[in-house]
Amino acid sequence: MLQGVTASLAPHESARLSALEQTVRDGLRDFRRTGQALSEIRDNGFYRASYESFEAYLQDRWGFTAPQAGRLIDASDVAKVLDPLGIQPKNEAQARSYRAAAKVIEELEPEQQRVIARLVEAAAPDTQPEMEGEDDVPWDVPAAEVRIMASVVKKMQPDALVHHPDSGDEVPFDTLTNPERFEVIRTHVDQKTQAYREKQEAKANAPQAEKINWADWVLNTAATSLSHGQRLEITVEPDGSGAARAVARIVDGGTGEVLSAGGGAVTLKKAVLNLAAELK
């Protein structure tokens, strides 16, 4: 909805706003151009001639909510950081997946960023064959692995002790030549990347936990598995720290003896699942 005019724009501001809005209009399918244009409109307050707020401008002019625009701007900012590395995200969501890596990269010196670009270039051919034909995945290095690269480079401070790539002796990082430094960094990146991939593979291959509807499990277990006189109880008691813990257990109704009990938990669901695991 149009708001009251709150401020006028200088002629050069009006001209720039027109150009930026044309960019948004023409580039709605290009998150980089759209995000950059919206960012400039917001940061310079170009909306102020007709709208009281950026949010009102977004809603009335483009049908965007503030979070939608924020995601576009954020993705555009990330893509700008990635571009010198040769990484070209294909859509907004893909760009934002690199956000954590981009945050580290922005903190690095230009020379350190150039090292990451070399690492990306070296790693990309290894990943490209696996991803060929997949439109939703960039051809280069996955976001998590770029973050590993950035983190390793960031930790390689001049006084950091590393193993010389030839002799294996422990030496300060800044005593190495540039080729030796790159070799040390690449070795560290390879080791951490391999550990990450192995962890992801183990996670993918791990047996999936059985999904149980805990409320149905309580009723089914009570109806089909309890003997006469037994009962299934869920108790909730304070734990002494100002919080409460729940415990699910099977009790002999005559003697009060606890026949089986799961571990305590902070939710009823977890308490029941702990009992289910115990009975297995």
Side-chain angles (χ1 to χ4, degrees):
M1 180 178 179
L2 279 173
Q3 306 295 315
V5 176
T6 59
S8 60
L9 296 181
H12 73 278
E13 291 179 315
S14 296
R16 184 57 181 161
L17 175 60
S18 296
L20 291 169
E21 290 193 327
Q22 186 63 46
T23 295
V24 176
R25 189 179 300 107
D26 294 344
L28 286 176
R29 293 184 179 275
D30 183 341
F31 73 91
R32 295 176 185 82
R33 297 179 62 208
T34 303
Q36 289 169 5
L38 291 174
S39 178
E40 189 173 342
I41 292 170
R42 178 197 63 188
D43 294 346
N44 290 280
F46 288 158
Y47 56 84
R48 68 186 184 276
S50 302
Y51 299 89
E52 294 178 350
S53 68
F54 183 57
E55 290 74 15
Y57 165 79
L58 289 171
Q59 183 61 50
D60 186 70
R61 189 75 177 85
W62 304 110
F64 287 172
T65 64
Q68 285 175 316
R71 288 192 293 270
L72 280 167
I73 293 170
D74 189 36
S76 177
D77 289 343
V78 170
K80 186 176 180 180
V81 174
L82 298 176
D83 190 58
L85 307 182
I87 299 176
Q88 304 276 328
K90 296 178 180 177
N91 54 56
E92 169 202 331
Q94 196 175 89
R96 286 191 292 111
S97 73
Y98 284 84
R99 185 179 183 183
K103 185 176 181 180
V104 179
I105 292 168
E106 284 184 299
E107 298 171 354
L108 301 179
E109 298 296 330
E111 179 58 35
Q112 293 174 305
Q113 294 179 7
R114 285 191 285 271
V115 171
I116 297 174
R118 289 183 61 193
L119 291 168
V120 168
E121 183 180 10
D126 294 334
T127 20
Q128 186 174 1
E130 301 174 12
M131 298 181 174
E132 186 175 353
E134 297 186 19
D135 292 337
D136 58 339
V137 181
W139 60 265
D140 21 60
V141 184
E145 297 185 15
V146 174
R147 186 179 182 182
I148 290 173
M149 294 174 184
S151 298
V152 169
V153 170
K154 183 178 180 180
K155 289 179 180 178
M156 289 298 171
Q157 298 299 314
D159 59 350
L161 294 178
V162 298
H163 293 287
H164 194 287
D166 296 326
S167 67
D169 295 335
E170 195 171 55
V171 298
F173 184 67
D174 64 353
T175 64
L176 301 175
T177 65
N178 284 338
E180 289 170 343
R181 292 179 188 181
F182 183 75
E183 188 60 34
V184 167
I185 289 172
R186 183 163 63 176
T187 297
H188 279 251
V189 168
D190 288 347
Q191 291 171 347
K192 290 185 177 295
T193 300
Q194 183 62 31
Y196 166 77
R197 289 175 178 175
E198 290 174 356
K199 183 178 179 180
Q200 292 300 107
E201 183 178 0
K203 183 178 179 180
N205 294 332
Q208 298 297 311
E210 182 182 358
K211 293 185 178 180
I212 300 175
N213 182 308
W214 68 277
D216 288 346
W217 184 89
V218 168
L219 295 175
N220 290 337
T221 300
T224 62
S225 301
L226 298 187
S227 301
H228 180 71
Q230 294 179 348
R231 63 175 181 264
L232 194 157
E233 297 180 343
I234 303 175
T235 61
V236 181
E237 299 176 352
D239 64 2
S241 67
R245 295 188 71 78
V247 176
R249 56 196 175 196
I250 294 177
V251 177
D252 186 300
T255 65
E257 178 186 2
V258 177
L259 304 176
S260 185
V266 295
T267 65
L268 298 180
K269 176 181 178 179
K270 181 61 176 173
V272 170
L273 295 181
N274 286 347
L275 176 59
E278 179 67 23
L279 292 180
K280 283 185 178 180

